[in-house]
Each structure stands twice: as structure tokens, then as C-alpha cells.
């Protein structure tokens, strides 16, 4: 990896032109080194405009995460949990979940957070990938160690979704809703996704790596690579959200929800979750990985996070499957 890439990108984040000469002077390197770094950035999929006589610029200004600013957003709330996070903001990583799973195996502390400016091989649920571009979204993972065993963690991903929706509402995105089990939608379009990977025993203790991807401002090229309906915060809010404040608030909400989950399981969060469910009392189709499907009306969420659906055979409990509205009637 070329060491100049991210220092230069942080300079270009203002969206203005910077000449090769100025950049070279700033970092005490040659213009050829700057050019090489720009090539290396482009090979990471980052779009950079280069105009003879003016220099280089990003297609638009982006606000990049900064560790100190996230820490400040956490600390300004003067909550005891604010101090508890161990924060890392990496320039580039294949997957924050993969990295934190590895760190967890090597003893990383409870409430470690790894965020990335650029995640190149983000993992999604069901073997999908998660597409992100520089400054286009939040991509981070949080390690939470439980005394509970993995067997007691059903409903955890729903609890995490609730923390996301609470935070988005706090920032003015009242239209953000949940889709069982743990997508965040606006209308029918996906705004954020959650991938939880577990370590440890079924009986306990266990550790969860909670990965969250949240779209802030998707460039058209990234949108084009995503094979489902997606949206971003910028399409729904007139003001730009500061990603550092967003991550800080989200971590505080996660901490509060996860502590409640530890004490009461999902049961204590179920009523609030259901209020935000986009498909409550709707006719849906449930699609299963083996190709089977079930039709019915969503009745609610059980205390363990299972979806309750009134089918032709009566109310059934579902712990897996993907909800679809298409062809449900
Ligand atoms: C989904 O498919 O909806 C889940 C997407 C989860 C993506 C996030 S981005 C940060 C973290 N690291 C990953 O590799 N995946 C998760």
C-alpha cells in the first residue's frame, strides 16, 4: 500500500483542486510520487478528477471520520459508557468485521470499535457483499463481550437495529423503519445493514462482532453496483450529517440497548421494535434460502425476536427467511 494515498485523500476531501506541485510540497515528496499515489488511489476504486494546469480533486467534498472527533462526540454526553469504547479508525481495510473477529480472538477488549474510511471487501448477510466508497457511508464493527452464551443471543441483531433507528430519528430521519430481522429502510429502500458474527460457547461466555454499514451519500457508481433497492441519508435530509457525531451517538445508543439486552434479553425492547417495523400487520411473502416460501400477515415479534406470521396453517414462528412484499397478496 502506498503510504501517501490517504494523506493525499484527506487533503482532497475538501472537494477543491490541489495542484500536484502543492501536494508534493506539502508532503515533501516529488510530483511523480504524488502521481503514483493518485494512481494507487484510483486502483482502490476512488474516483479522482485530474485536470491539466489545475491539479486533482474528488468529485465532491466528503467528510471523513476522525477518531478525535468521534471521541469528542462520545465524551460530550458525559455518560459513563462514553469512556468505555476503544476506538480505531483505519484508513483502509478489507472488512472491519473480519479484522475485529481476528482481534477478538486475540483478546481485544470489550467495546472495541473499528471503523474504516474505506472498506474494500465488506461482508453482507447471506454471503452478499457490502459496497461502500470513500466518505459515502459509515462502515464499522463493535465488539461486545457477553456473559451470556451464544444460544441466548437470538434477538441481538434486532436490538442493534433498534439502536440504529433511535439514532436516525434523533438526527431527524423520522421515516427510517426496521425490516425484520435487521435491515433499516426508508420506504422500500435499504439504508443500513447489520451483520453479526459470534465467537465463544453456546453456554457462555461469548463475543459478538456487530458490523454496521450505513449509507450517507452513495455515489452513482456505487449505487449501480448494488443489486437491491438502496437509499442514503443525503437523499432524505436537507442538511449534511457529520459522520463523527453520527457514529458517536450510534455507539451511545448501542451501548444502552446492548446493556438492556444483556439484562432482559430482547423482551424488554420488543414493543418499541414492533412500533418501528415497516411491515407490521402487512401481507408478506417469506423467502427461505432453500427456495421455499410462505405467505401470511405479520402479527408481531416474539420475545426472542422470532417473527410471528398468520398463515393459512395458523400463526407460525419464523427465525429465518427474508420478507418480501412483492406478490404477497
Ligand atoms: C447486510 O447484508 O445487510 C449486512 C451488511 C453489513 C455491512 C457491515 S459494513 C461494516 C461491517 N464489516 C463488514 O464486512 N460488514 C459489516
Amino acid at each position: 500500500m502506498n503510504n501517501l494515498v490517504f494523506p493525499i485523500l484527506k487533503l482532497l476531501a475538501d472537494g477543491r483542486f490541489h495542484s500536484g506541485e502543492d501536494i508534493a510540497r506539502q508532503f515533501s515528496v516529488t510530483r511523480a510520487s504524488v502521481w503514483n499515489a493518485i494512481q494507487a488511489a484510483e486502483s482502490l476504486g476512488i474516483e479522482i478528477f485530474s485536470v491539466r494546469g489545475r491539479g486533482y480533486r474528488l468529485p465532491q467534498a466528503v467528510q471523513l471520520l476522525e477518531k478525535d472527533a468521534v471521541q469528542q462526540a462520545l465524551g460530550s454526553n458525559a455518560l459513563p459508557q462514553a469512556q468505555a469504547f476503544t476506538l480505531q479508525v483505519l484508513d483502509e481495510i478489507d472488512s472491519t468485521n473480519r479484522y475485529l473477529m481476528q482481534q477478538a480472538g486475540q483478546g481485544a477488549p470489550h467495546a472495541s470499535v473499528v471503523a474504516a474510511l474505506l472498506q474494500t471487501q465488506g461482508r453482507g448477510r447471506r454471503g452478499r457483499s457490502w459496497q461502500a466508497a470513500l466518505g459515502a457511508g459509515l462502515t464499522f464493527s463493535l465488539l461486545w463481550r457477553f456473559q451470556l452464551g451464544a444460544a441466548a443471543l437470538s434477538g441481538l441483531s434486532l436490538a442493534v437495529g433498534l439502536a440504529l433507528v433511535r439514532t436516525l430519528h434523533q438526527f431527524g430521519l423520522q421515516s427510517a423503519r426496521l425490516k425484520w430481522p435487521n435491515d433499516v429502510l426508508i420506504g422500500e429502500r435499504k439504508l443500513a445493514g447489520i451483520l453479526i458474527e459470534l465467537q465463544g460457547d453456546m453456554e457462555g461466555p461469548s463475543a459478538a462482532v456487530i458490523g454496521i454499514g450505513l449509507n450517507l451519500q452513495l455515489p452513482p457508481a456505487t449505487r449501480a453496483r448494488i443489486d437491491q433497492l438502496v437509499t442514503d441519508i443525503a437523499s432524505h435530509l436537507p442538511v449534511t450529517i457529520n459522520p463523527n457525531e453520527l457514529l458517536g451517538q450510534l455507539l451511545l445508543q448501542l451501548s444502552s440497548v446492548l446493556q438492556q439486552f444483556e439484562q432482559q434479553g430482547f423482551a424488554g425492547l420488543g414493543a418499541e421494535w414492533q412500533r418501528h417495523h415497516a411491515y407490521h400487520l402487512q401481507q408478506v411473502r417469506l423467502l427461505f434460502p432453500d427456495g421455499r416460501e410462505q405467505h401470511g400477515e405479520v402479527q408481531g415479534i416474539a420475545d426472542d425476536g422470532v417473527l410471528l406470521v398468520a398463515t393459512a396453517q395458523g400463526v407460525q414462528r419464523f427465525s429465518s427467511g427474508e420478507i418480501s412484499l412483492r406478490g404477497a397478496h
Side-chain angles (χ1 to χ4, degrees):
M1 175 70 190
N2 184 317
N3 286 336
L4 265 181
V5 170
F6 277 88
I8 292 179
L9 289 173
K10 287 170 194 171
L11 195 66
L12 299 185
D14 62 7
R16 303 212 176 112
F17 273 111
H18 293 262
S19 73
E21 209 173 343
D22 281 351
I23 301 173
R25 198 176 316 115
Q26 182 133 350
F27 296 112
S28 308
V29 296
T30 62
R31 284 176 63 181
S33 308
V34 172
W35 189 83
N36 283 336
I38 296 287
Q39 300 299 304
E42 286 178 335
S43 70
L44 288 170
I46 297 167
E47 198 182 351
I48 298 174
F49 295 152
S50 158
V51 175
R52 191 179 285 276
R54 299 199 68 186
Y56 305 104
R57 75 168 178 87
L58 294 179
Q60 61 199 21
V62 287
Q63 180 137 29
L64 299 177
L65 276 182
E66 288 168 64
K67 182 180 163 177
D68 289 350
V70 180
Q71 205 74 59
Q72 209 177 340
L74 282 169
S76 62
N77 285 274
L79 293 174
Q81 63 259 41
Q83 279 84 50
F85 292 101
T86 307
L87 202 58
Q88 277 186 79
V89 178
L90 305 177
D91 285 341
E92 186 215 346
I93 194 78
D94 51 353
S95 152
T96 57
N97 258 42
R98 191 218 38 86
Y99 176 79
L100 193 52
M101 280 293 272
Q102 184 190 46
Q103 300 284 302
Q106 295 168 7
H110 171 72
S112 294
V113 178
V114 176
L117 301 188
L118 184 68
Q119 182 177 251
T120 53
Q121 289 178 56
R123 300 177 183 173
R125 288 173 60 231
R126 302 169 178 275
R128 291 193 183 124
S129 61
W130 183 262
Q131 302 288 335
L134 187 78
L138 283 184
T139 48
F140 73 97
S141 302
L142 164 66
L143 170 65
W144 205 261
R145 296 190 179 278
F146 291 94
Q147 285 311 312
L148 301 166
L153 298 184
S154 70
L156 174 63
S157 70
L158 281 80
V160 170
L162 188 56
L164 257 165
V165 158
R166 280 187 189 171
T167 310
L168 292 166
H169 287 195
Q170 210 178 315
F171 279 83
L173 264 174
Q174 308 302 338
S175 51
R177 316 284 295 277
L178 290 161
K179 174 187 173 187
W180 183 88
N182 57 14
D183 286 346
V184 179
L185 307 181
I186 294 187
E188 271 196 70
R189 295 179 173 271
K190 182 156 164 172
L191 178 67
I194 299 164
L195 175 71
I196 297 187
E197 299 183 77
L198 298 177
Q199 280 181 11
D201 289 339
M202 288 311 271
E203 301 309 321
S206 58
V209 168
I210 298 165
I212 294 181
L214 171 59
N215 301 326
L216 297 177
Q217 188 165 20
L218 287 175
T222 310
R223 258 176 208 263
R225 278 200 300 275
I226 304 177
D227 60 356
Q228 39 180 332
L229 292 173
V230 284
T231 191
D232 56 14
I233 291 184
S235 307
H236 300 276
L237 275 190
V239 291
T240 308
I241 286 188
N242 180 321
N244 302 304
E245 281 164 21
L246 185 61
L247 179 55
Q249 291 305 316
L250 182 49
L251 289 172
L252 292 171
Q253 284 291 358
L254 281 164
S255 169
S256 135
V257 161
L258 292 170
Q259 284 177 47
Q260 188 173 347
F261 180 87
E262 261 171 324
Q263 285 153 18
Q264 304 167 3
F266 180 68
L269 301 164
E272 186 184 352
W273 199 99
Q274 194 163 295
R275 278 204 301 283
H276 297 301
H277 193 197
Y279 298 148
H280 188 52
L281 297 180
Q282 296 233 26
Q283 287 292 328
V284 297
R285 231 159 35 113
L286 261 182
L287 313 174
F288 301 101
D290 62 5
R292 279 182 313 120
E293 55 179 78
Q294 269 281 3
H295 292 220
E297 187 187 270
V298 173
Q299 299 296 292
I301 309 293
D303 280 354
D304 53 0
V306 155
L307 183 73
L308 304 172
V309 180
T311 70
Q313 294 79 41
V315 176
Q316 293 194 37
R317 292 167 49 87
F318 295 100
S319 54
S320 67
E322 183 112 341
I323 294 186
S324 169
L325 287 186
R326 262 161 280 278
H329 291 275

